Amino acid sequence: MKPKWQVIFQRILGLTVAMALLLVSSAIVYVISFGILRHYRIELPMLAIQLINIAGGILLLFCIISLIMVVTKRHQPHFFEEAMEVFRQIGKGNFNVRLKRDPRRKLGHLEILVDSVNEMTEKLKQMEAMRQEFISNVSHEIQSPLTSIRGFAQALSNDKLSEEERRHYLQIIEMESTRLSRLSDNLLKLTSLESEFHRFDPAAFRLDKQLRSLVLASEPQWLEKGIELELELEPVTLTADEEMLSQVWVNLIHNSIKFTPQGGCIRIVLRKQPDEVAVEVSDTGIGISAEEQERIFERFYKADKSRNRASGGSGLGLSIVQKIVQTHKGHVRVESSLGKGTKFIVTLPIDVQPAAT
C-alpha cells in the first residue's frame, strides 16, 4: 500500500496537470477562434468569445484525456482477465498466485488493488501453512502415545511375562493414556480461549493468596526434587478471571519444577505498580536459548523435545498462558540463558473488565 502523503501528492499533481492542460487547451482554442473571427470579420461580444474559448478548451481537454485513456487502458481488459483468474485460483485454495506488476502497464489506481490482492494471498498462504502445521503436530502428538499403548498392550498378551514386567508395562500404558488425556484437555482449552464465546468472568480476589495456595498444592513435586522455593508476595487485590489465571500460574510453576534439577531454586515475586501488577516466576533450571525464546509461545513448540516427551509435555502450556494473559489485556515475556535458568514475567492491569457485547 502507498503512503498517505504519496497518494495526496499524486492527486495534487494530477489536479495541477489537469489545470495546465485546460489552460493550454483554452489558449489553443483562443488562437483558432481569434483567427477564424478575424478572417471572416465576425464581431461578437467579449463574453461570447470567452464562453467559446472556455467551452472549446473543455472539449479539447476531453478529447486529449480520451485519447490518453484509449492508449493507457488497452492493457486493462487483459488485467481484469488476469485478476479474475487469480480470484478463481484463490477460491480453489491455491494461495501461491500473485497479480503481476508490469511497469509498462499503466493501471493508475488499480495498482492499489494489485497490492491489496497480493497482500491478501500472502496472509492466506501463511494461515494455510499454520493450519497444515497444526494438523501435522496434532496427528504426531496423538499418534505417539497411541503407538506406545498399542505396543505394550500387545506385549501384555505374552503369558511368559513376569509380574514385575507386567506392572511396568501397565504403568507405561497408564502414563501414555494420561498424556493423551492431557493433550486433549489442552487442545479444548486453547480452542475455547481462541473462540469469541469463551466465558470471561472478572471478579476481585487476592492474587497473593492465589499464588501461595497454588505453590502449596504443588509442594509434593518440588519437595521430591529437593527444590528450594522462595516467595516474595505483596498483598494485591486484582479484578480478573481467577480460574483462568490459575491455569497461568500452574503452567509456569510446573514448568519451573520440571526443568529445574535436584537441589535447585524457584523464586516467585509479586509486585504492585500504579496501574498493573507484575508476577515473576524464575528458576535455576536448564535455561532456554535465544533462538528458542522467539518461538517458545508457539503451539506445540518444544524447546527440548526429548525432555518434554519424557515429562509428558505437549508444547501447548505456554500457548495457553499467552492466550489467557492477552485475554486479560496483559503481557508475558521470557528472559533466559542456557545453564543459568529462566524467568517468566507476567504483567496484568489491576482492573480488567469484560469487553462490551
Side-chain angles (χ1 to χ4, degrees):
M1 298 295 290
K2 294 181 180 179
K4 188 176 181 180
W5 67 266
Q6 189 175 353
V7 175
I8 295 173
F9 175 76
Q10 287 179 344
R11 289 178 179 176
I12 293 174
L13 182 61
L15 183 61
T16 304
V17 171
M19 291 299 295
L21 286 173
L22 180 59
L23 289 173
V24 171
S25 302
S26 299
I28 294 171
V29 171
Y30 173 77
V31 171
I32 295 173
S33 63
F34 179 78
I36 293 173
L37 292 174
R38 187 176 180 181
H39 178 75
Y40 291 101
R41 297 179 182 180
I42 301 173
E43 293 185 5
L44 292 174
M46 185 58 65
L47 179 61
I49 294 173
Q50 291 178 352
L51 288 174
I52 291 172
N53 291 337
I54 293 172
I58 294 174
L59 180 62
L60 182 59
L61 177 62
F62 177 77
C63 293
I64 293 172
I65 292 175
S66 298
L67 181 63
I68 293 173
M69 289 178 67
V70 168
V71 173
T72 57
K73 284 192 174 182
R74 61 184 179 182
H75 299 288
Q76 289 191 9
H78 176 68
F79 166 76
F80 286 117
E81 290 176 5
E82 181 183 337
M84 291 305 297
E85 179 59 28
V86 166
F87 289 134
R88 277 193 290 268
Q89 291 298 320
I90 292 173
K92 293 177 181 178
N94 179 12
F95 304 125
N96 293 314
V97 292
R98 296 290 185 276
L99 278 175
K100 296 178 182 179
R101 298 194 62 171
D102 188 347
R104 297 171 299 177
R105 188 167 59 184
K106 305 298 182 180
L107 297 176
H109 292 297
L110 290 176
E111 291 182 3
I112 299 175
L113 175 64
V114 173
D115 294 337
S116 299
V117 170
N118 289 341
E119 183 181 356
M120 177 188 70
T121 53
E122 182 61 31
K123 289 182 178 179
L124 287 171
K125 182 179 178 181
Q126 293 174 1
M127 290 177 63
E128 177 64 14
M130 290 173 62
R131 187 183 73 87
Q132 293 288 351
E133 184 182 8
F134 178 77
I135 293 172
S136 175
N137 286 330
V138 170
S139 301
H140 174 75
E141 292 296 331
I142 291 176
Q143 188 62 34
S144 181
L146 285 177
T147 301
S148 296
I149 291 171
R150 183 171 61 249
F152 286 106
Q154 291 173 350
L156 285 172
S157 62
N158 187 352
D159 296 333
K160 297 180 180 180
L161 287 177
S162 65
E163 190 63 29
E164 183 179 352
E165 288 175 323
R166 196 175 296 277
R167 281 198 302 268
H168 176 63
Y169 291 169
L170 286 171
Q171 287 175 354
I172 293 175
I173 290 174
E174 182 181 5
M175 181 182 68
E176 293 295 335
S177 299
T178 303
R179 177 182 160 196
L180 194 58
S181 176
R182 189 181 297 114
L183 171 64
S184 173
D185 183 50
N186 284 337
L187 280 171
L188 288 172
K189 283 180 183 176
L190 196 56
T191 303
S192 176
L193 287 168
E194 291 179 343
S195 74
E196 56 181 307
F197 304 108
H198 183 78
R199 189 173 179 179
F200 181 61
D201 295 322
F205 68 97
R206 285 283 296 274
L207 180 57
D208 55 308
K209 290 185 177 180
Q210 183 189 44
L211 288 168
R212 198 180 301 275
S213 174
L214 293 173
V215 167
L216 290 174
S218 61
E219 185 177 11
Q221 287 81 34
W222 50 268
L223 280 182
E224 183 182 2
K225 298 182 71 172
I227 294 174
E228 180 182 353
L229 211 145
E230 301 176 0
L231 299 179
E232 186 181 332
L233 308 176
E234 294 182 9
V236 172
T237 299
L238 183 69
T239 301
D241 192 311
E242 186 174 2
E243 183 179 351
M244 287 176 67
L245 283 183
S246 69
Q247 298 177 47
V248 172
W249 316 131
V250 166
N251 270 305
L252 294 180
I253 292 170
H254 284 188
N255 274 354
S256 292
I257 296 172
K258 187 189 301 182
F259 299 117
T260 299
Q262 293 281 343
C265 179
I266 296 174
R267 189 164 184 262
I268 301 176
V269 179
L270 168 61
R271 292 193 177 94
K272 184 178 181 180
Q273 298 166 0
D275 298 317
E276 62 183 17
V277 296
V279 178
E280 299 177 2
V281 180
S282 56
D283 60 57
T284 57
I286 60 176
I288 307 168
S289 68
E291 295 79 9
E292 290 169 335
Q293 288 177 44
E294 296 178 0
R295 301 189 59 192
I296 199 69
F297 294 104
E298 293 180 14
R299 291 180 293 188
F300 293 107
Y301 184 76
K302 300 178 183 179
D304 186 337
K305 294 177 174 57
S306 60
R307 192 179 296 267
N308 264 278
R309 180 162 284 112
S311 54
S314 64
L316 289 173
L318 290 177
S319 297
I320 293 173
V321 166
Q322 185 184 54
K323 191 62 184 178
I324 292 174
V325 172
Q326 289 174 345
T327 301
H328 284 79
K329 302 175 184 177
H331 304 279
V332 56
R333 59 188 176 90
V334 59
E335 297 176 0
S336 184
S337 298
L338 283 175
K340 296 183 179 179
T342 302
K343 178 192 290 185
F344 283 94
I345 303 102
V346 177
T347 55
L348 298 166
I350 293 286
D351 188 359
V352 181
Q353 295 299 329
T357 56

